[in-house]
Amino acid sequence: MNTRTVGPTATETRPSIVVDQLRKSYDSHPGSDAAYAIDGVSFDVPEGQFVTLLGPSGCGKTTTLRCVAGLERAQGGRIEMAGQTVFDAQRKQYVRPEDRPIAMVPQSYGIWPHMTVLDNAAFPMRHGRNRQRGADVRKRAMEMLEQVGLDGMADRWATQLSGGQQQRLAFARALLGDPEVLLLDEPLSNLDAKLRARLRQELRSFQERFGIAALYVTHDQAEALALSDTVIVMNQGRVEQIDRPERIYDHPRSSFVADFIGSANLLPVQDTSPGTQGGVLAKTAVGSVLCGRAPASGNEDWSSTGGFVCVRPENVTVRATHGRTPVSGDEEILGTVEAAEFLGDRLEVVVRAGDASITAFARPGLGCRPGDDVALNFDPACTSYLSH
Ligand code: ADP
Ligand code: MG
C-alpha cells in the first residue's frame, strides 16, 4: 500500500530537486584560486526517481550531497526543492538543513542504540520539521514498522537488530519525517558483498513502493547500474554524463565514463573519416575500425582527429588465423593471444596487437592459447567513437 499519493507514474513533472551550476571550494580565503571540490554541477532529481551520483573517490559526490542537504554552503549556484529555492548563492538565500524537505540516511544508518526500535522510528515525528504529538505518533510509527516488516520488534533495543533490519529501520524513520527526497551517502559500503547485493534490492523495492525520490551516492558502478533510474557520472568535481544505466554502459560519452563503467577497450584514434554506410571509420595504430556509434559531425562530441575507439569485451570476436593473413578490407585487427582464462561461462582472452592490449569474451569452447595468432573483429553496431 502506498502511503504517498505521488509516485514515478505521477503525470505532474515538478522535479523534487533542481541543482544548478553548484560550485564549492573548501578554501575560504577570498581571491585564492584553490581548486573547486565541485565546479558547475547541474542536475535534476525528478519526482519518485532514484538518481545516483557515481564517481571515483574525491570526485565531489559527498560535497554535492552535503550542499543539497544544507550541511555545506556553496560559493556559487542554486538549489531548488519541491519548487522552493533552498539555496541561491547570488541572492544569499539559504534554508537550514532541518527546514529542507529531506531525510538523510547516513553510512551506518545513524540509529540510536539507547532507544527502542519504535522510539528510533518515531524520532523525526517528535523532533523534526513537521513535529507531532500524542498517540498518533505511536500509531503512525507502528504502521510504518509493519510496512517494512519490523512489526513485533518495536519494543526491542535498536542494537538487537541485524544489519538488514537496521536498514529497514533507517528507511522507516526517514519516511516518517515526510521528506520529499531521501539522501543516501554510500549506505551499503560497510557491509560484505553478499549482504550488500541483497540490501540494495530491498532498498530499491522500498523506494519504488513508497514512490519517494532518492539521491544516492556511491563509487560502486555495479550498485549504481543496478539501483538507478538515472546515473550521474562525476569526475574531478564535474558532471561527465547523465543518463539511464543502459545508456551509460552502451553509449558512454567520454573515455572516462567508458573506462569507469564496466571494462572497455580504448584505442587511441589518429584520424577519422565518415563510414561509407554511416558511422565513423577510425584509424588506429593497429588498423581501421568502423564505429557505428558516433556523434554526428558538428556535434560538440565530434572531432576529426584524436579521441578513442571504445568497444566492450563482449562485442569483440576472436578468430584463429592459423598463420593466414586476412584479406584486406576485412577491418580485422591482427594480434597474438597473451592470456586466455576459462571463467565457466566464457573465455576471457587478452590479445596483444601492436602496443595495444585488447580483451575479448569468447565462447568457452574456443580453443585458443597464449602465443596463437588471432584476428579480432569489433561489432560495428556496438563500437563507439569517443572524441575525448
Ligand atoms: P567523494 O565523496 O566523491 O569521495 P568529496 O566530496 O568528499 O568526494 O571530496 C571532493 C574534494 O573535496 C576532495 O578533493 C576532498 O579532498 C575535498 N574535501 C572534501 N571535504 C573536505 C573538507 N571538509 N575540507 C577540505 N577539503 C575537503
Ligand atoms: Mg564521499
Side-chain angles (χ1 to χ4, degrees):
M1 190 186 72
N2 270 350
T3 57
R4 289 170 62 90
T5 49
V6 292
T9 52
T11 47
E12 192 191 343
T13 54
R14 173 182 61 89
S16 288
I17 303 178
V18 178
V19 171
D20 185 29
Q21 291 297 321
L22 212 57
R23 185 155 43 82
K24 160 91 190 154
S25 160
Y26 286 100
D27 190 338
S28 53
H29 298 297
S32 80
D33 53 356
Y36 283 101
I38 53 172
D39 193 2
V41 167
S42 301
F43 61 88
D44 285 4
V45 178
E47 228 175 21
Q49 282 216 6
F50 199 110
V51 175
T52 299
L53 297 169
L54 171 69
S57 174
C59 73
K61 307 180 295 293
T62 294
T63 302
T64 306
L65 198 77
R66 288 176 59 84
C67 286
V68 169
L71 299 168
E72 300 286 352
R73 289 191 204 207
Q75 283 90 12
R78 222 173 52 82
I79 303 170
E80 213 177 89
M81 271 175 198
Q84 307 282 322
T85 300
V86 295
F87 175 76
D88 189 326
Q90 215 170 13
R91 296 188 175 165
K92 303 208 178 328
Q93 265 177 288
Y94 167 80
V95 173
R96 292 177 310 164
E98 56 272 34
D99 295 324
R100 297 188 184 194
I102 50 164
M104 191 117 177
V105 180
Q107 205 159 53
S108 43
Y109 306 131
I111 283 164
W112 302 106
H114 61 286
M115 286 186 196
T116 63
V117 169
L118 180 76
D119 287 341
N120 263 282
F123 193 84
M125 288 192 289
R126 289 175 178 147
H127 304 275
R129 205 163 33 97
N130 310 317
R131 212 159 294 183
Q132 297 159 44
R133 295 204 171 279
D136 263 9
V137 169
R138 192 187 156 86
K139 185 162 165 278
R140 258 200 86 199
M142 287 301 282
E143 280 168 7
M144 183 60 79
L145 288 176
E146 193 182 323
Q147 296 227 29
V148 300
L150 288 180
D151 44 331
M153 300 193 180
D155 296 324
R156 289 198 195 173
W157 293 110
T159 44
Q160 292 174 290
L161 299 184
S162 71
Q165 289 166 338
Q166 287 194 14
Q167 171 172 290
R168 292 186 201 176
L169 175 55
F171 200 84
R173 185 181 56 184
L175 288 176
L176 282 167
D178 287 325
E180 172 83 15
V181 53
L182 289 181
L183 305 178
L184 306 107
D185 193 349
E186 315 234 13
L188 306 178
S189 62
N190 290 338
L191 309 170
D192 68 76
K194 226 170 163 176
L195 188 60
R196 205 160 63 216
R198 188 163 67 74
L199 290 193
R200 81 176 179 218
Q201 282 316 320
E202 191 168 293
L203 184 65
R204 174 68 191 184
S205 77
F206 279 134
Q207 179 269 336
E208 277 183 334
R209 184 143 64 90
F210 291 97
I212 190 164
L215 181 59
Y216 189 89
V217 161
T218 184
H219 66 277
D220 180 333
Q221 43 116 354
E223 202 168 285
L225 296 181
L227 277 171
S228 318
D229 294 305
T230 300
V231 178
I232 301 169
V233 184
M234 291 183 67
N235 179 26
Q236 297 189 337
R238 292 172 188 270
V239 171
E240 285 268 335
Q241 185 167 355
I242 302 181
D243 253 320
R244 288 183 286 113
E246 301 81 13
R247 299 255 337 152
I248 294 277
Y249 187 84
D250 288 333
H251 297 267
R253 276 189 55 183
S254 65
S255 54
F256 174 84
V257 176
D259 199 36
F260 191 72
I261 313 288
S263 50
N265 295 296
L266 292 166
L267 301 177
V269 169
Q270 297 162 341
D271 205 358
T272 59
S273 55
T276 45
Q277 289 169 1
V280 161
L281 194 61
K283 196 169 149 225
T284 77
V286 291
S288 288
V289 177
L290 183 60
C291 305
R293 292 174 183 166
S297 60
N299 183 300
E300 56 166 314
D301 284 336
W302 165 266
S303 158
S304 59
T305 55
F308 298 89
V309 166
C310 166
V311 64
R312 303 238 175 239
E314 60 267 34
N315 300 316
V316 179
T317 318
V318 185
R319 193 170 60 79
T321 57
H322 305 294
R324 276 184 292 113
T325 331
V327 189
S328 68
D330 273 0
E331 275 152 20
E332 283 188 317
I333 287 170
L334 301 179
T336 309
V337 174
E338 242 177 14
E341 206 174 17
F342 174 63
L343 295 176
D345 60 337
R346 61 175 192 258
L347 191 67
E348 195 170 309
V349 187
V350 180
V351 174
R352 162 79 36 193
D355 282 343
S357 174
I358 300 167
T359 304
F361 295 159
R363 288 182 290 114
L366 181 83
C368 96
R369 301 222 232 145
D372 286 357
D373 287 331
V374 291
L376 300 177
N377 200 291
F378 300 172
D379 178 354
C382 302
T383 302
S384 308
Y385 168 61
L386 306 173
S387 69
H388 60 288

